[in-house]
Amino acid sequence: MPKTLKKPTRGASPAPPARLRGAGDSWQIQSAKARFSEVFRRARTEGPQRITRQGKEGVVMVAEEQYERLVGKSHQPKNLVQFFRQSPLVGIELDLERDRDAGRDIDL
């Protein structure tokens, strides 16, 4: 038995995205796939967008700038020398002298 599909009526507005009610900016995976460009745009302009599968197993799409702030890559030094140069301890005098220790006697 073939399925019959309803044709949309002219002038009717498209259906709103199938979003989970009461979950903030959450999208069901099917809706997020179908409206990827919109999810992408909203992640850039409105903030993180949560994508779920069957109401669970969520992932979050965030703008690249937010991601960089979260993982701190923009603040990490490029190499070890730069790390030490940016240290808050730069200029502090440390006493690195050690007393010469002759060791201890061990009975075997």
Side-chain angles (χ1 to χ4, degrees):
M1 207 188 286
K3 291 185 178 181
T4 58
L5 299 175
K6 286 187 174 182
K7 291 185 178 179
T9 58
R10 291 188 183 260
S13 61
R19 299 176 68 166
L20 298 175
R21 301 290 175 223
D25 293 316
S26 292
W27 299 77
Q28 292 178 358
I29 193 168
Q30 300 87 345
S31 179
K33 286 195 303 191
R35 297 174 160 269
F36 182 79
S37 293
E38 182 179 353
V39 178
F40 181 89
R41 180 186 58 77
R42 286 187 180 196
R44 301 274 311 145
T45 60
E46 298 175 15
Q49 302 292 306
R50 181 179 304 275
I51 303 169
T52 61
R53 179 185 303 158
Q54 298 176 354
K56 304 175 199 163
E57 301 177 25
V59 297
V60 178
M61 181 185 287
V62 295
E64 185 174 5
E65 297 82 15
Q66 288 178 319
Y67 174 76
E68 293 296 331
R69 278 196 309 265
L70 287 172
V71 298
K73 286 185 178 180
S74 60
H75 301 294
Q76 290 181 353
K78 295 188 187 322
N79 58 44
L80 188 60
V81 173
Q82 185 181 9
F83 170 78
F84 284 115
R85 284 184 181 155
Q86 293 176 351
S87 169
L89 300 176
V90 168
I92 291 181
E93 297 272 336
L94 297 175
D95 180 18
L96 299 176
E97 290 288 321
R98 293 181 62 182
D99 291 335
R100 186 151 178 99
D101 186 9
R104 57 185 173 169
D105 294 330
I106 300 176
D107 293 327
L108 296 176

